[in-house]
Amino acid sequence: MEPERVASRPIVDVRGLTIGWGDRVVTRDVTFHVDRGEVVAILGESGSGKTTLMRFIIGLEQPLEGVVDVAGRGHPDLEQGLPPFGVMFQSGALFGSMTVGDNVRLPLREWTDLPPDAITAIARGKLRTVDLEDAIDKLPAELSGGMVRRAAIARALALDPELVFLDEPSAGLDPRTEAEIDDLIVTLNRALGVTIVMITHELESVYRIADRCVVLDARSKSVLAVGDPRRMRDSGDPRIHAFFHPAPVSARERAPR
Amino acid sequence: MGTSSALDDSHGAVASAVRREGDCIRLSGALRTRDATVLWAALREAARDVRSGTRIEMDMSAVPAVDGDVMALLVELRGQIAARGAQAELTRMRQPVAKLAQLYAADRTPVAARGARQEGLVAQVGAATLAHVAHVEQALDFLGSLTLAGFGGKRRSRAVRWGEIVSLVEKTGAEAMTIVLPVVFVVGFIFAYATADTLKQLGQRLLSPTMVGRAMARDVAPVMTAFIVAGRSGAGFAAEIGSMKIDHEIDALRTFGLQPFAWLVVPRTIALVLVVPALVIIANFFGCAGGALVGVTRLGLTLPVYVHALRSAVSLWDVGSGMIKSAAFGLAIALIACQQGFAVSGGPEDVGRRTRSAVVTGMFFVVVVDAVLTVIYESFGG
C-alpha cells in the first residue's frame, strides 16, 4: 500500500486496464494513479500505445478490461455533460472553421453564463498565457504547428479544469518554445494547482517537470515501470536503463562483438 | 507537488466578495471560475464610477486563490479602467496568486490609456449615450447573473444552435441557388420544346403550360433541386465532418461534453429541410419561365394567356405536394451526408471516397423517396 494514497483519493486511478478493440490488444494490465497536484508523464516508444491509453482514460473508448476512475466519478461518460478535465490532442484538433479566439470561447459559451465581453476577456487572457494574444482572430490554418498546439492548450484550459491531459505538447518544437511550454506547465501546476497528465518523447522535459512517469513497452504490450523519472534514469533494470539512455543506431552497430 | 492548501477549499460555498471602499476595490475569498459570472458583474459594478485621473487599488490581500478565468477578468477590468483614463493595480497579492498574475501579465502596466484623449462633441455625445446603454446593460446583466446564480449558475449546453442553423441556411441556399435556377429554367424550356410540335399537331397548345407547370411543381423542380443540393451541400457536409473526424475535432467536441450529433447533424438537417423547399418555390417560377419562353416563341401563346393557363392548371396541392417531397429530400440528403462523414476512418483518401458516396447515395435516395411519396400521394387520390 502506497502511503500517499491514504491521504487523499487520486484524481486518476487506473487499475488492471487492458486497452484495444475486440481481439486486438494494444496494452494490457495498466495500473497507475495520479495524485492531485502532480505532473505525470506517460512515456514509451512510438507505437507503444500512449495516445491510445489517454483515449481510453478520458472516455473516448471503452476498456476491454479493468477499472478507470477520474476525479472520483468513475470512467468518464462524455455523453453526460462537461467532464472534469481538459484535453489537448496531439494534432491540436482546433475547430478549423472557427478563429483561434472562437475555439477558446466555445467551451465558455456552452458551459457558462458569462456575458460575451467577459468571455472574450477570458479567451484573450488564456491566449496571453500561451503568448498567442495576437492570433485571436486568425484561423487555425494560418498558424504554425507549435502555435496550433499552444492554442489547443489555451482551449483545454478555458474552463480552468483541475486536470489536464496533454498529448505531446512540445513535440517538434524548437528548444526555446519547448522550454516555454515546460514553464507554462510548471506554472499551471504550481500557481493553479492543475494536475497534469502529459504524453511526451522529450526526456529532458520529463526530468525537469514530471513528478512521476509511466513507461509503456511496445514489445511486451505492458507497463515497463511507474515512478520517479530521475530515479529510473539510474535504474539497474537493463530495459528501463535502455529506455532512458537511448543509443543512436550507429553506436549500436559499432558495439563490440 | 504544487497544490497550495488554500486551493483545497474548492468544494466549499461561495465565499468571495467584492467591496468598493473609496479608491480601493477590496476582494476577498477564493475567486473561482464557477462564480465568474457573479464576480464579473460585481467587479464592473464596483468600477462603474471610476473617473479619469484616479488611481484604484485592487486589494488582493484577502484572496487565497484565484482561478485563471477570474484572473483574466481582473486583467480585463484593469484595462477597461485604464481606457477611461484612470489607473488600476492589483496589489498585495499572496504567492500562488502573484505567480498566476505573472502568467496572465497582470503585473504589467496596461498600454496607453485610450480614453484620455480629448474628443469632439459628437463623439462625446455618442460615447455618453453608449455608456448609458452599457450601464443599463450592466445592471440587467447583474440582475440576470444573480438570478441564474440562484438557480445554480451553470446552465447546460444548448441543445439546438439556432445561430448555426441560420448561417447554414444562408450558405447552403446561396451555394445551390446559382446552379438550381439556370438548370430548372433550361429543363422547363427543353420539356416544353420537346412536346411543342406534338401538342401543336393535336391542336392542344394550351396543354403545354399545364404539363410544364404540374410536372415542374410536383417532381421536376424538387428532384432537380435536390440533386444539386446533394452535389453541393451533401458533398460539403460529408467532407467537412469527415475532415473533422480525422483531425480529431469530433473527439475534441466530445471532451467538452458536447454531442457531435446535436452539434453537427441536427443543425445541418434542419437547414436542408428548410432550404430545399425554399429553393423549390423559386425554382418553380424559373422552370415555368423556361416553358413560357417556348410557349411564346414556338406555340404563339401570349404571356398573359400562358400565365392564366398555368394558374388554372396548377393547384395548391401540386405545389404543396412538391414542397413536402422537397423537405423529405432535404432530410435524406443531410442524414446520408452526415452519416458518410462520421463513417470516415483512416486518412484523407477516405474523406474523398465518403464524399463521393454521400452524393451518389443521396441522389439515389432522392429518387427512392420521390417514388415512394408519389405512390403514397396516388393512393390518397392526389
Side-chain angles (χ1 to χ4, degrees), chain B residues 17-308:
Chain B
V18 179
R19 231 174 34 246
R20 173 78 185 269
E21 288 169 12
D23 282 345
C24 180
I25 297 174
R26 225 175 276 286
L27 295 121
S28 58
L31 309 179
R32 296 297 181 201
T33 295
R34 65 185 140 95
D35 308 323
T37 310
V38 179
L39 276 168
W40 178 237
L43 281 168
R44 287 208 306 187
E45 181 61 27
R48 196 162 54 93
D49 59 348
V50 171
R51 247 160 282 153
S52 171
T54 49
R55 186 177 170 282
I56 295 288
E57 191 186 333
M58 297 198 242
D59 183 352
M60 304 281 286
S61 61
V63 176
V66 181
D67 280 350
D69 286 5
V70 181
M71 185 55 83
L73 290 177
L74 289 172
V75 174
E76 172 71 13
L77 184 76
R78 200 187 51 162
Q80 288 185 1
I81 290 174
R84 281 184 240 156
Q87 225 189 339
E89 245 177 89
L90 294 171
T91 59
R92 301 166 70 196
M93 284 182 275
R94 297 204 211 162
Q95 202 21 257
V97 178
K99 182 91 178 142
L100 186 71
Q102 222 176 349
L103 181 66
Y104 280 84
D107 51 342
R108 262 178 266 152
T109 334
V111 254
R114 277 172 286 158
R117 174 168 51 97
Q118 189 63 42
E119 283 168 332
L121 182 66
V122 178
Q124 280 184 34
V125 171
T129 314
L130 284 176
H132 182 69
V133 172
H135 286 164
V136 173
E137 254 178 52
Q138 279 169 20
L140 288 175
D141 271 0
F142 188 62
L143 197 69
S145 52
L146 286 181
T147 318
L148 282 163
F151 286 110
K154 229 171 224 177
R155 66 191 158 88
R156 284 195 58 83
S157 170
R158 284 166 294 160
V160 180
R161 299 156 63 228
W162 295 107
E164 172 85 355
I165 294 172
V166 170
S167 76
L168 278 165
V169 164
E170 284 171 4
K171 187 166 168 276
T172 51
E175 268 178 0
M177 182 102 75
T178 47
I179 315 175
V180 166
L181 301 184
V183 165
V184 288
F185 180 86
V186 173
V187 170
F189 179 89
I190 293 169
F191 189 53
Y193 201 94
T195 52
D197 284 344
T198 315
L199 290 177
K200 238 198 291 193
Q201 282 164 14
L202 293 170
Q204 297 285 351
R205 291 180 307 162
L206 274 175
L207 266 184
S208 181
T210 308
M211 285 166 57
V212 171
R214 296 190 72 180
M216 197 52 74
R218 284 178 156 244
D219 288 295
V220 178
V223 170
M224 294 311 297
T225 305
F227 275 10
I228 288 159
V229 169
R232 292 219 75 158
S233 306
F237 292 173
E240 194 182 356
I241 294 176
S243 308
M244 289 182 75
K245 182 122 188 263
I246 58 173
D247 286 343
H248 299 289
E249 289 177 39
I250 307 258
D251 290 335
L253 262 187
R254 292 182 63 203
T255 60
F256 285 119
L258 304 173
Q259 304 313 315
F261 186 82
W263 191 265
L264 298 167
V265 181
V266 172
R268 279 164 181 72
T269 308
I270 294 178
L272 284 200
V273 166
L274 296 174
V275 159
V276 181
L279 283 171
V280 166
I281 293 180
I282 310 170
N284 280 334
F285 285 103
F286 274 70
C288 292
L293 185 61
V294 176
V296 172
T297 56
R298 298 266 304 171
L299 295 171
L301 301 170
T302 63
L303 196 58
V305 168
Y306 195 93
V307 171
H308 181 77

Side-chain angles (χ1 to χ4, degrees), chain A residues 99-117:
Chain A
T99 63
V100 170
D102 281 337
N103 266 279
V104 183
R105 278 186 276 251
L106 177 111
L108 291 155
R109 277 195 193 130
E110 290 300 314
W111 294 106
T112 74
D113 291 298
L114 286 160
D117 64 335

Side-chain angles (χ1 to χ4, degrees), chain A residues 236-251:
Chain A
D237 183 320
R239 285 196 307 164
I240 298 175
H241 187 87
F243 181 82
F244 282 93
H245 302 274
V249 177
S250 55

